Amino acid sequence: MTGWLIYGEKDAIKNKGYIEFYETEGKAIGIRIELIFREYLEIGVENNQWFLRYKGKECQKPDFAIVRTIYPLLSRQLECLLIPVFNSAEVSRICNDKALTYQEVAALGIPIVNTTFVENAMVMEKYQRITEPTVIKTVDGHGGSQVFLALPKATPKNKDIYEDLRRVESARAEILKGIASSDCVMQPLVTGRHQDLRVYVIGRDIVAAILRTSKEGFRANYSLGGEIRAYELSEKENRVVKKIIQHFSFGMVGIDFLIGEDGELIFNEIEDVVGARMLYQCTDINLVKEYLEFICGKCLKEQ
């Protein structure tokens, strides 16, 4: 069995060790993993047929593809060619757009921060009219790098909280540069415990959960300096996560929640191309091995 592991070329350099992990674990269970760069893939329609080329040449189709780059159109093209794709094109399309994700999850009765969907051209106008501390996120941002805190011009009653927030407020120029041409979502700032929870999921199974705590500011991302530890979900929290899992058809994702003031889970986002550094640091779970075994079982079942 042969599987493609599709990366952007620059991301592949940064994730060299993780890619080698896939190759090693694949070999151990009889899967040959081929690293494929998205930049060298050509897709389209020719003579009324879908085509797929790599480095300008026709290529033999793999038994499956793990897409570790955000390109829903590519995922869909592979599916048109009857190649099983993980995650699917539909998961990629929805989960790489925060607004679409909130639309989907809103139907499940799970707490979500009040969210306004804002077209790119309207972001600054909306920003000028905010009346409370507001988080602005690009719909396609990842890893906390396109998340900004905006404060209204008027000083609120609780000055102490505001003075603390001033230290991490995003400047207008920073917001404009960061959002570029992206649409955004705008949400009131959830102060809570400055914590969030990532739940790793493979298929319909919860693999593990990692609690992240912000050292400073309002973002708890590990890559931005947050502290992390393994976390055991309660029965109630398990039920919340299972609602999301049952709604989608996941390969492997990370489901992120904010932690409210009373410890409640507030849905935040779903990471399609989810990283595993936190999991490997906090647990001895072999996520890649479990994922490849899941994919192998799925492909054999569908043959």
Side-chain angles (χ1 to χ4, degrees):
M1 183 177 283
T2 299
W4 281 3
L5 185 63
I6 303 176
Y7 267 91
E9 196 166 9
K10 288 183 180 179
D11 288 332
I13 294 170
K14 290 189 294 184
N15 291 280
K16 184 174 181 290
Y18 194 49
I19 292 165
E20 290 173 351
F21 199 10
Y22 266 97
E23 292 169 343
T24 300
E25 294 299 329
K27 186 176 181 180
I29 59 174
I31 299 174
R32 185 163 63 92
I33 298 293
E34 292 184 5
L35 176 62
I36 301 292
F37 296 129
R38 65 174 281 178
E39 291 86 351
Y40 302 118
L41 280 168
E42 293 178 54
I43 59 173
V45 177
E46 192 171 81
N47 299 322
N48 295 327
Q49 297 291 321
W50 302 292
F51 72 79
L52 173 66
R53 302 189 188 105
Y54 189 61
K55 295 184 177 180
K57 298 179 180 178
E58 298 295 329
C59 50
Q60 186 172 351
K61 294 192 300 184
D63 294 293
F64 65 86
I66 300 171
V67 181
R68 298 286 299 174
T69 186
I70 299 167
Y71 192 1
L73 183 65
L74 169 61
S75 297
R76 180 61 186 142
Q77 183 83 358
L78 297 176
E79 289 175 349
C80 287
L81 292 164
L82 303 182
I83 300 169
V85 180
F86 303 88
N87 285 307
S88 69
E90 183 67 359
V91 168
S92 179
R93 182 184 71 84
I94 293 171
C95 296
N96 288 299
D97 185 312
K98 291 180 176 62
L100 289 178
T101 306
Y102 291 135
Q103 278 187 336
E104 287 290 319
V105 176
L108 305 180
I110 294 170
I112 303 175
V113 179
N114 293 336
T115 304
T116 302
F117 306 151
V118 186
E119 288 185 293
N120 180 265
M122 299 297 294
V123 171
M124 276 303 124
E125 181 179 327
K126 294 282 188 184
Y127 172 25
Q128 297 293 347
R129 293 194 277 119
I130 62 173
T131 58
E132 60 184 331
T134 298
V135 175
I136 302 174
K137 307 176 186 179
T138 59
V139 295
D140 53 357
H142 296 274
S145 61
Q146 290 174 293
V147 179
F148 309 96
L149 175 63
L151 301 182
K153 293 178 181 178
T155 304
K157 295 177 182 178
N158 194 334
K159 292 183 180 180
D160 292 339
I161 292 177
Y162 240 61
E163 287 172 5
D164 187 50
L165 289 176
R166 289 287 182 201
R167 294 184 298 106
V168 291
E169 180 185 13
S170 307
R172 176 173 174 165
E174 179 188 355
I175 295 173
L176 281 170
K177 182 179 179 181
I179 66 172
S181 59
S182 295
D183 293 337
C184 295
V185 296
M186 297 178 72
Q187 302 170 324
L189 176 66
V190 176
T191 51
R193 301 180 178 182
H194 298 291
Q195 292 178 319
D196 69 10
L197 187 72
R198 168 159 292 171
V199 182
Y200 288 87
V201 171
I202 293 178
R204 297 201 181 277
D205 295 327
I206 296 171
V207 177
I210 302 294
L211 184 70
R212 306 181 287 192
T213 303
S214 173
K215 288 182 178 179
E216 182 177 341
F218 63 102
R219 294 174 291 189
N221 302 71
Y222 177 50
S223 61
L224 300 177
E227 296 176 346
I228 57 172
R229 66 175 175 85
Y231 180 90
E232 187 171 345
L233 296 171
S234 68
E235 289 278 341
K236 183 178 180 181
E237 291 165 342
N238 244 294
R239 288 196 296 270
V240 170
V241 177
K242 286 289 187 181
K243 279 187 180 181
I244 298 173
I245 293 174
Q246 295 299 323
H247 184 74
F248 291 92
S249 183
F250 292 135
M252 180 173 72
V253 298
I255 305 176
D256 291 350
F257 298 89
L258 303 175
I259 308 295
E261 291 183 5
D262 297 320
E264 73 277 19
L265 296 186
I266 303 170
F267 176 77
N268 189 30
E269 62 183 327
I270 301 172
E271 286 285 354
D272 165 30
V273 185
V274 64
R277 285 181 300 161
M278 294 192 304
L279 190 70
Y280 285 125
Q281 181 162 332
C282 295
T283 77
D284 58 1
I285 294 169
N286 189 334
L287 189 69
V288 168
K289 180 175 182 288
E290 290 193 19
Y291 192 27
L292 288 175
E293 287 176 343
F294 164 79
I295 290 171
C296 190
K298 193 91 170 169
C299 290
L300 291 173
K301 187 177 178 181
E302 293 176 359
Q303 283 182 352

